[in-house]
Amino acid sequence: MSTGSRTAWEGWARSVPPLACASTRGPCPDPAATATRLARAGLAEQYVVYEAEGGVWHFAAGSGTGVTADAGGITARAAGRTWTSRTDGRPLETFAAALSALAALHDEGDGGDGGRRFYGWAAF
């Protein structure tokens, strides 16, 4: 797999599963308390909660895919498969290529309806 090529990551991006369950709810009086209740419900070991622009809150639970990078390589996983690539000392460039492949698939596959969303966190 070439380091910065978006096309090198297209196979991985296409294997990322769609959301298992999606739901949109109207405004509630205390979105932070609602997010806390969802987190405590134990839907998954991993979850992400954040407030977006306009006061819209998001809660995502579980992990359908993963990407890890270090100075020597990048590893991506989805649907029980693993992809690896050397980074030639440029892990952020390779990481960006993987995320760009997801974004391109999102743009072409959804028709702009927002059916696929990707949430996550980064640690250094």
Side-chain angles (χ1 to χ4, degrees):
M1 197 178 292
S2 67
T3 299
S5 170
R6 187 181 82 187
T7 58
W9 289 103
E10 287 176 354
W12 169 71
R14 291 192 187 288
S15 72
V16 172
L19 290 173
C21 177
S23 178
T24 302
R25 302 283 186 236
C28 64
D30 189 349
T34 301
T36 300
R37 283 194 300 276
L38 285 167
R40 287 184 178 157
L43 301 172
E45 286 186 32
Q46 297 178 349
Y47 59 87
V48 176
V49 177
Y50 72 94
E51 182 180 10
E53 193 172 317
V56 176
W57 284 69
H58 298 266
F59 175 88
S63 176
T65 188
V67 182
T68 57
D70 60 34
I74 186 170
T75 301
R77 65 170 180 76
R81 295 178 55 201
T82 301
W83 288 258
T84 58
S85 176
R86 292 181 322 135
T87 63
D88 298 326
R90 302 182 74 144
L92 293 179
E93 181 180 305
T94 307
F95 192 77
L99 295 181
S100 290
L102 282 176
L105 183 65
H106 171 76
D107 291 343
E108 77 184 35
D110 290 342
D113 71 357
R116 288 176 62 110
R117 291 181 177 85
F118 302 98
Y119 299 92
W121 55 273
F124 301 93

